Amino acid sequence: MISLKLQLILLFISLGGLVFLLNQIVKYKLELKYSLLWLFLSVVTIILAVIPELSFRMAEWFGIEKPVNVLFLFGILLSLVIVFSLTIALSHHMIKIKQLSQELAICKNELNRLEAKLEELTDHVHPHDKPSK
């Protein structure tokens, strides 16, 4: 049996994390799509803390000796899933940054070319503006 002390610790930590997470979402400091896995982790931890029989059944099913180890196992596995999903998001952002940097360089090059052409045209249009000797 999971001790009442451990249940309360898990419950308070999970509820605190959930409140913090929801607060970050409400303040627009964290996008919802990046927080869904964290929300899932918090809810699963709360459920397992409130209904410890689930962890006993899962421990039996997976052949794990102590039910508390099921909590740690799922916490670690879900954390790895979160890290992997954030790695994918980071990779997509890096590709987008590279594309935007290349587009910016092309635009700057085109702007410099147009400025040079404009300067050349204004020199031909206004030759009398040049100082005479």
Side-chain angles (χ1 to χ4, degrees), residues 13 16 38 59 71 81 83 90-91 114 119-120 129:
I13 289 173
W38 287 110
L71 296 175
V81 168
V83 168
L90 178 65
S91 181
L114 290 173
E119 188 176 309
E120 180 183 308
D129 291 343

Side-chain angles (χ1 to χ4, degrees), residues 26-38:
V26 168
K27 290 182 177 180
Y28 298 107
K29 292 186 177 183
L30 182 63
E31 284 190 47
L32 184 61
K33 67 181 179 179
Y34 297 122
S35 62
L36 290 176
L37 286 171
W38 287 110

Side-chain angles (χ1 to χ4, degrees), residues 10-129:
L10 284 171
L11 184 62
F12 286 126
I13 289 173
S14 297
L15 285 174
L18 183 62
V19 168
F20 177 76
L21 187 63
L22 292 173
N23 189 29
Q24 295 299 306
I25 294 169
V26 168
K27 290 182 177 180
Y28 298 107
K29 292 186 177 183
L30 182 63
E31 284 190 47
L32 184 61
K33 67 181 179 179
Y34 297 122
S35 62
L36 290 176
L37 286 171
W38 287 110
L39 288 169
F40 179 72
L41 176 64
S42 295
V43 170
V44 167
T45 308
I46 290 169
I47 290 170
L48 289 175
V50 172
I51 310 170
E53 293 81 27
L54 287 175
S55 58
F56 281 101
R57 290 193 179 125
M58 290 189 320
E60 287 176 21
W61 194 73
F62 286 112
I64 297 173
E65 189 174 324
K66 300 222 178 208
V68 73
N69 292 340
V70 171
L71 296 175
F72 292 123
L73 174 67
F74 281 108
I76 290 168
L77 290 177
L78 282 173
S79 296
L80 287 174
V81 168
I82 290 168
V83 168
F84 184 70
S85 70
L86 291 176
T87 302
I88 291 171
L90 178 65
S91 181
H92 287 299
H93 289 301
M94 292 302 294
I95 291 168
K96 188 67 174 173
I97 288 170
K98 180 181 172 186
Q99 289 172 344
L100 289 172
S101 298
Q102 290 170 346
E103 288 177 18
L104 179 63
I106 291 169
C107 288
K108 282 184 175 181
N109 187 29
E110 183 68 16
L111 179 64
N112 288 338
R113 189 184 65 76
L114 290 173
E115 284 175 342
K117 190 172 185 177
L118 179 64
E119 188 176 309
E120 180 183 308
L121 287 173
T122 55
D123 285 346
H124 287 113
V125 172
H126 303 291
H128 60 279
D129 291 343

Side-chain angles (χ1 to χ4, degrees), residues 1-8:
M1 184 69 142
I2 296 177
S3 70
L4 181 61
K5 185 177 180 179
L6 179 59
Q7 276 183 280
L8 291 175

